[in-house]
Amino acid sequence: MLSIATKVEQIVSESAFLTEGISLGLINLSELARQLRPQLESDLWKPVGQAAVVMALRRLSERLPQAAPSPPIVLSPRTSELTTRTELTLVTYRLSDNSNECQRELLHLAERHPGSFVSVTRGVHEMLVVCSRPLIHLVESAFASERHIARVENLTALTLRLNPDALKTPGIYHGVLKKLAWNKINVVTMMCTFSELTVLLEQPQTGPAFSVLSQIVSH
């Protein structure tokens, strides 16, 4: 059976915010213990005293490494731009022996629609296609023989143009994603090239996300 200390450490380790907040001394451990007690009692199947939880948190805080400040987000000096694309559709297919041919067919069909957005990402088991909504019929045609897994519509892509030196900066993407997460903005998925970071969001979160990322650009 898990001990209180082990379970507390497990809960904290699963939350980057809790880990960082405790290591920086920003969290009231007594209040955190009060909030954790119901979950601990449910998981451990026994009453849990608040003092025991506070003690476990205090001992854990002494073992946590001091959080390092987030690295600066280095943008392109030429543009420092934030680009927006709206009305995108994301479709995921199971990877197969025919996936490469489907991708070639889609890109061939998309050439007749200059200015439209289409991106294909090949994973280990899946192929992800993101396209402008008017191109979805081309995607369905090119991948007609493939196994469809998921589809998400009405997405917005926000792209940050990064300085190429950002490639050598540890935690550069974490810095961007952390700012979004702190503002309760969910990222559906993200795509990266050599000097661009693109996050895909559901349409209702576009405004808040644009505000957060605009602050990065303005600085």
Side-chain angles (χ1 to χ4, degrees):
M1 179 177 292
L2 293 176
S3 67
I4 294 175
T6 300
K7 189 61 185 178
V8 165
E9 182 171 352
Q10 179 182 335
I11 293 173
V12 171
S13 66
E14 291 173 351
S15 171
F17 299 137
L18 284 181
T19 303
E20 183 176 15
I22 291 175
S23 66
L24 292 174
L26 302 177
I27 294 179
N28 184 309
L29 299 185
S30 295
E31 177 59 24
L32 177 59
R34 185 185 67 80
Q35 295 189 28
L36 293 181
R37 277 184 64 195
Q39 180 179 348
L40 290 168
E41 291 181 340
S42 175
D43 292 345
L44 298 175
W45 293 58
K46 66 179 183 180
V48 174
Q50 181 165 335
V53 182
V54 172
M55 181 60 67
L57 288 169
R58 183 171 294 116
R59 289 175 176 172
L60 176 61
S61 69
E62 294 171 352
R63 302 202 317 271
L64 288 175
Q66 186 173 358
S70 298
I73 300 169
V74 186
L75 300 176
S76 168
R78 184 176 63 84
T79 57
S80 296
E81 64 183 9
L82 176 60
T83 305
T84 304
R85 286 185 178 270
T86 60
E87 297 187 344
L88 301 179
T89 299
L90 178 154
V91 190
T92 304
Y93 295 95
R94 179 67 64 187
L95 203 63
S96 73
D97 294 337
N98 196 44
S99 294
N100 287 341
E101 181 58 35
C102 294
Q103 178 180 352
R104 283 192 290 269
E105 175 67 13
L106 172 60
L107 296 179
H108 173 69
L109 295 173
E111 287 179 354
R112 306 170 191 171
H113 300 267
S116 295
F117 180 85
V118 60
S119 172
V120 182
T121 303
R122 180 189 176 102
V124 178
H125 303 292
E126 300 172 352
M127 183 164 279
L128 177 72
V129 182
V130 180
C131 68
S132 301
R133 187 166 61 181
L135 298 188
I136 189 60
H137 68 286
L138 301 183
V139 177
E140 293 172 340
S141 174
F143 286 83
S145 62
E146 301 302 281
R147 180 183 171 187
H148 173 264
I149 297 176
R151 176 170 170 166
V152 184
E153 299 190 27
N154 203 23
L155 298 176
T156 298
L158 298 180
T159 299
L160 276 173
R161 184 81 176 272
L162 302 174
N163 189 304
D165 289 341
L167 187 69
K168 303 175 183 179
T169 305
I172 188 69
Y173 298 141
H174 169 70
V176 176
L177 296 177
K178 183 172 70 172
K179 289 179 182 295
L180 294 172
W182 273 113
N183 285 274
K184 302 186 184 301
I185 297 168
N186 178 57
V187 175
V188 175
T189 190
M190 60 182 288
M191 301 181 295
C192 302
T193 62
F194 180 69
S195 61
E196 293 180 351
L197 168 62
T198 299
V199 293
L200 270 74
L201 314 149
E202 294 178 327
Q203 194 279 330
Q205 295 195 314
T206 301
F210 188 88
S211 177
V212 171
L213 297 183
S214 293
Q215 294 174 16
I216 296 175
V217 171
S218 65
H219 291 119

